[in-house]
Amino acid sequence: MSDKLVVVGNPSLVGHLPEVVIPPDVEAMTPDELEAGIKRLKTERNAVILAHYYQESEIQDLADFVGDSLQLSQAAAKTKADVIVFCGVHFMAETAKILNPDKIVVIPDLKAGCSLADGCPAPVFEKWLEQYPGHTVVTYINCSAGVKALSDVICTSSNAVKIVKALEGQKIVFAPDRYLGAFVAKQANRPDMVKWEGSCIVHETFSEKRLIELMVKNPDAEVIAHPECHEGILRHAAHVASTSGLIDYAKTSPKQTFIVATEAGILHKMQQAAPGKTLIPAPPEDEICACNLCPHMRRNTLEKLYLCMRDLTPQIEVPEAIRVKALKPIERMLEMSV
Ligand code: 13P
Ligand code: SF4
């Protein structure tokens, strides 16, 4: 990969991006050597490693901070490190760069996108918004900087209901996740909320039929779900929350067994938080696929993490004019989340 390669906006819309090539010297390293190298580079570069709960467990274990999208934005907003190493997907690293224009932000694999962000290109979104003058644009953080720049306030799965409730009396457009949008509209009693019809490829694949079969086999289990799931899953859930909210629930609930309807990477920290409890991943439609693993999140590997810290590439860049516009709704979200 070229040292100069940067992507502005949405990886899927930038055309063909090369795969990260792991050089033979890195390929020859053992996991222990990679781990030691990452720890050494962290000190040498005064870097902080931020990781999402959907990353591979060995990446989560090396991170300085593991969290949900809101917690990761909050951690990025207050870090004193010179380099932010973002183990997550592109929009998360891009948010960190918007908050820290003077810091270097690297991501192990620039091609780690997100189906929600990919399904809402900024120029199309801008045109679509013309139909809704006078509406407050509430946008889920899973979107590009260009879409954030067109928004009034950003939200995540952990604060979306709170933010929409705070906008009482205002007409609202919600994008880009239709399932989160439907959940929020119900919780905040805003059936009039206009929704962009995007979805997450991972949460969309959970099967209601197979979930019911699993519930019958495990009658004492409680279903817990991420609000990106469709209604067929959410209607069975005892608790619906962000990734960190689901972990907290599994830890504090008196129940012993949970069927967990979100990306399976969450089980690593959830099991640590709730030792001794039984965690069963919710089943996708197709019995043999690994559809409950996000293919974008899984692009990041230990080798790519080591490489991006060694070479300080690929870096996230955001054009200043877009960054300044995108910063405002992110800051508004951070203010509304305290
Ligand atoms: P959280 O903010 O709940 O961690 O969700 C992020 C995400 O991408 C879920 O698919
Ligand atoms: Fe995007 Fe879905 Fe992956 Fe989350 S799990 S990053 S919403 S594709």
Side-chain angles (χ1 to χ4, degrees), residues 6-330:
V6 291
V7 164
V8 175
N10 208 322
S12 68
L13 306 175
V14 183
H16 178 72
L17 279 176
E19 292 290 339
V20 177
V21 177
I22 309 294
D25 59 323
V26 177
E27 212 159 15
M29 290 169 80
T30 64
D32 283 351
E33 286 167 343
L34 285 167
E35 197 178 306
I38 289 164
K39 286 182 178 159
R40 176 179 50 78
L41 286 164
K42 209 159 68 168
T43 312
E44 279 174 20
R45 304 234 180 268
N46 186 26
V48 64
I49 302 180
L50 305 180
H52 189 263
Y53 289 120
Y54 295 166
Q55 291 292 278
E56 286 179 13
S57 45
E58 59 266 39
I59 292 183
Q60 292 190 39
D61 290 346
L62 276 167
D64 296 293
F65 183 79
V66 185
D68 69 13
S69 305
L70 176 64
Q71 294 169 330
L72 289 167
S73 314
Q74 288 165 331
K78 63 172 191 239
T79 185
K80 297 267 184 291
D82 296 320
V83 176
I84 299 174
V85 183
F86 214 112
C87 297
V89 291
H90 188 270
F91 75 80
M92 295 177 173
E94 196 175 52
T95 303
K97 183 65 182 180
I98 292 167
L99 288 160
N100 294 283
D102 300 327
K103 294 189 194 296
I104 291 174
V105 179
V106 289
I107 184 167
D109 191 328
L110 210 44
K111 281 162 82 89
C114 166
S115 65
L116 279 166
D118 292 351
C120 188
V124 185
F125 186 56
E126 187 169 21
K127 191 93 198 112
W128 182 78
L129 284 178
E130 285 173 8
Q131 303 169 83
Y132 306 107
H135 285 61
T136 300
V137 181
V138 182
T139 309
Y140 190 31
I141 197 163
N142 297 40
C143 65
S144 66
V147 168
K148 288 185 175 76
L150 296 165
S151 307
D152 295 303
V153 57
I154 301 303
C155 67
T156 74
S157 55
S158 60
N159 58 21
V161 174
K162 182 180 175 182
I163 285 175
V164 168
K165 278 187 177 168
L167 300 173
E168 209 187 328
Q170 298 178 37
K171 290 188 280 185
I172 296 175
V173 161
F174 189 94
D177 187 358
R178 68 204 227 224
Y179 299 125
L180 175 65
F183 173 74
V184 171
K186 216 178 196 178
Q187 296 294 311
N189 193 23
R190 291 299 306 263
D192 57 316
M193 208 168 78
V194 178
K195 295 188 295 295
W196 177 277
E197 293 294 307
S199 60
C200 160
I201 47 168
V202 178
H203 291 84
E204 198 166 51
T205 58
F206 290 119
S207 156
E208 182 176 17
K209 182 174 165 283
R210 295 190 64 216
L211 175 65
I212 292 170
E213 286 164 7
L214 204 54
M215 289 166 69
V216 170
K217 272 194 216 148
N218 298 275
D220 293 332
E222 208 164 50
V223 177
I224 56 176
H226 194 277
E228 285 176 17
C229 292
H230 54 86
E231 176 53 26
I233 300 299
L234 294 186
R235 69 167 69 104
H236 301 286
H239 190 65
V240 178
S242 73
T243 47
S244 63
L246 295 178
I247 291 172
D248 287 348
Y249 187 80
K251 183 179 167 182
T252 53
S253 162
K255 287 273 181 184
Q256 281 305 306
T257 307
F258 300 91
I259 299 175
V260 185
T262 192
E263 214 267 9
I266 197 175
L267 300 175
H268 179 59
K269 283 280 183 232
M270 195 178 268
Q271 196 70 79
Q272 285 175 356
K277 295 199 178 177
T278 304
L279 309 174
I280 308 170
E285 201 81 57
D286 180 340
E287 259 173 76
I288 50 165
C289 79
C291 310
N292 59 358
L293 299 180
C294 174
H296 303 291
M297 289 278 184
R298 302 290 157 160
R299 282 191 158 275
N300 297 331
T301 61
L302 221 50
E303 285 91 347
K304 292 179 194 173
L305 171 56
Y306 171 79
L307 258 188
C308 82
M309 292 179 74
R310 190 190 75 177
D311 301 345
L312 289 182
T313 188
Q315 290 187 23
I316 303 286
E317 293 295 341
V318 184
E320 189 58 10
I322 296 180
R323 190 194 72 80
V324 170
K325 284 190 193 151
L327 180 62
K328 274 193 196 161
I330 296 173

